[in-house]
């Protein structure tokens, strides 16, 4: 089975590839660098308290 590297798009083998899903250690490190420099981000819930001072529940404000 072959897959495309998510960084460079090169086709690479899935089995026997220690850097999968990447084609190489270089692409693996580029991906790590993207996370460390916050080029990738997972959206978080807004936890800013309302201006009236009421607490916001951990799962977000009521609709």
């Amino acid at each position: 089975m072959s897959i495309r590297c998510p960084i460079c798009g090169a086709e690479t083998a899935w089995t026997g590839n220690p850097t999968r899903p990447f084609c190489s250690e270089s692409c693996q490190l580029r991906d790590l660098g993207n996370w460390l420099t916050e080029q990738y981000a997972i959206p978080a819930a807004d936890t800013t308290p309302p201006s009236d001072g009421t607490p916001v529940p951990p799962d977000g404000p009521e609709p």
Side-chain angles (χ1 to χ4, degrees), residues 14 43 60 63:
W14 180 260

Side-chain angles (χ1 to χ4, degrees), residues 27-42:
C27 283
Q28 193 177 41
L29 291 173
R30 283 178 51 197
D31 183 69
L32 177 60
N34 288 341
W35 281 104
L36 294 175
T37 59
E38 298 182 1
Q39 291 181 18
Y40 300 147
I42 298 172

Side-chain angles (χ1 to χ4, degrees), residues 4-10 12 19-35 40:
R4 294 228 175 255
C5 175
I7 297 296
C8 71
T12 185
T19 60
R20 70 176 177 232
F22 307 102
C23 66
S24 65
E25 186 177 359
S26 173
C27 283
Q28 193 177 41
L29 291 173
R30 283 178 51 197
D31 183 69
L32 177 60
N34 288 341
W35 281 104
Y40 300 147

